[in-house]
Amino acid sequence: FDKIDFNKIHGRALKLLSRSKFLKNQGLEKVYEEWITKPETQDVKYTGYVHELFSKLPGSLSGLSKGQQETINKQFDTLVAKGGEIEGKTSLIVVRDTSGSMSSQATGTTMSSNEIAKTLALYFSSFLKGKFADAWIEFNSNAVMHQWKGSTPIEKWYNDRASSVGGTDFMSVINLFINLKNQGVPEEEFPTGILCISDGEFNLVSGGGTNVDAAVRSLKAAGFSKEYCDNFVMIFWDIPNNFYSYGRNAPKPKFETFGATKNVFYMSGYS
């Protein structure tokens, strides 16, 4: 085993290897840590879903060895670098649903919908610039914009304490945009839209209509330009769980989907 070349191990296998007892049992922890922490060890491959890098983590950062931390960091950075090569990569800000239902286990995974939304927020925030660099928006009964705290992906993960509480007031996100504009943030610095990661059950809008319709109306009324509003993109990404499977929580139409709407898109899954 002392002749293992870690550079030649497949990304998924490397992740499993670093989290198992194998390295310790074979006396290879120090050797592995020296390899993974070297500056020249770059482009550490990973072909899985980004949330899988953060699955089954201990309760605190101290529960991970330096080698385990750096495996997560470098595999995450590889996924970000790959995303950065895509032409027309997103300049949308992640809007992360942290309502109570998001604590439920996501279908087919070992993680909650909230934890998966957290990893996707961390990933997509890597592509934002300026005022909104490294930022994401939390919403439940209210909306708050956060900047990740920490110098590495795993530090940022553990420093986020957002929990799953309250309702799902999507319009609070639009009100946050309006408040930022009123505070003097120039329109050209705003994201070109939102990537809303949720389990799809929004509070109803007072006065009727959909949250999408109300969002566009509110942006226009607040003084955002016609060009900005006409091109404002809303992507709704469903992270399914079984919270709304029966009784009073029986499922409603996801995201109030009433047909094709310009610049509004719907998707589901973990990729």
Side-chain angles (χ1 to χ4, degrees), residues 16-66:
L16 293 171
L17 180 73
S18 70
R19 302 275 188 93
S20 72
K21 297 180 180 179
F22 176 82
L23 295 174
K24 181 178 181 180
N25 290 345
Q26 303 305 325
L28 294 174
E29 281 185 304
K30 185 176 180 181
V31 175
Y32 180 80
E33 183 176 310
E34 289 174 349
W35 170 76
I36 193 67
T37 57
K38 287 192 299 187
E40 54 266 35
T41 301
Q42 298 292 331
D43 192 28
V44 182
K45 297 293 190 294
Y46 192 71
T47 54
Y49 299 128
V50 66
H51 70 265
E52 293 174 324
L53 291 175
F54 299 87
S55 66
K56 298 182 179 179
L57 292 177
S60 67
L61 185 59
S62 61
L64 292 171
S65 69
K66 184 64 175 174

Side-chain angles (χ1 to χ4, degrees), residues 104-123:
S104 299
Q105 183 172 323
T107 306
T109 77
T110 60
M111 302 175 73
S112 68
S113 293
N114 184 46
E115 290 171 320
I116 293 176
K118 179 175 175 176
T119 63
L120 294 171
L122 182 59
Y123 176 78

Side-chain angles (χ1 to χ4, degrees), residues 70-224:
E70 279 303 287
T71 304
I72 295 170
N73 291 333
K74 290 193 173 180
Q75 290 190 318
F76 181 87
D77 289 344
T78 296
L79 292 177
V80 170
K82 184 176 290 292
E85 295 171 358
I86 298 172
E87 184 177 354
K89 59 183 178 292
T90 182
S91 59
L92 310 179
I93 192 167
V94 167
V95 171
R96 176 180 153 204
D97 177 359
T98 58
S99 61
S101 62
M102 292 290 284
S103 62
S104 299
Q105 183 172 323
T107 306
T109 77
T110 60
M111 302 175 73
S112 68
S113 293
N114 184 46
E115 290 171 320
I116 293 176
K118 179 175 175 176
T119 63
L120 294 171
L122 182 59
Y123 176 78
F124 284 106
S125 67
S126 304
F127 303 116
L128 295 174
K129 308 295 182 185
K131 166 79 174 176
F132 296 88
D134 217 26
W136 61 281
I137 294 173
E138 173 186 13
F139 82 104
N140 42 65
S141 299
N142 292 293
V144 181
M145 189 170 81
H146 299 277
Q147 241 94 19
W148 295 103
K149 296 181 175 62
S151 58
T152 65
I154 194 63
E155 287 179 0
K156 292 173 181 178
W157 169 273
Y158 275 105
N159 287 333
D160 169 48
R161 300 298 180 186
S163 59
S164 306
V165 295
T168 318
D169 185 1
F170 176 75
M171 285 305 297
S172 67
V173 175
I174 304 304
N175 292 334
L176 175 64
F177 268 62
I178 293 169
N179 289 338
L180 289 170
K181 179 176 176 60
N182 291 338
Q183 291 168 20
V185 178
E187 184 176 293
E188 57 270 20
E189 287 193 26
F190 276 83
T192 54
I194 59 173
L195 177 56
C196 179
I197 302 175
S198 169
D199 56 7
E201 303 282 346
F202 291 166
N203 294 359
L204 297 176
V205 177
S206 60
T210 70
N211 278 273
V212 166
D213 294 336
V216 175
R217 285 198 308 269
S218 295
L219 289 172
K220 289 179 178 178
F224 281 90

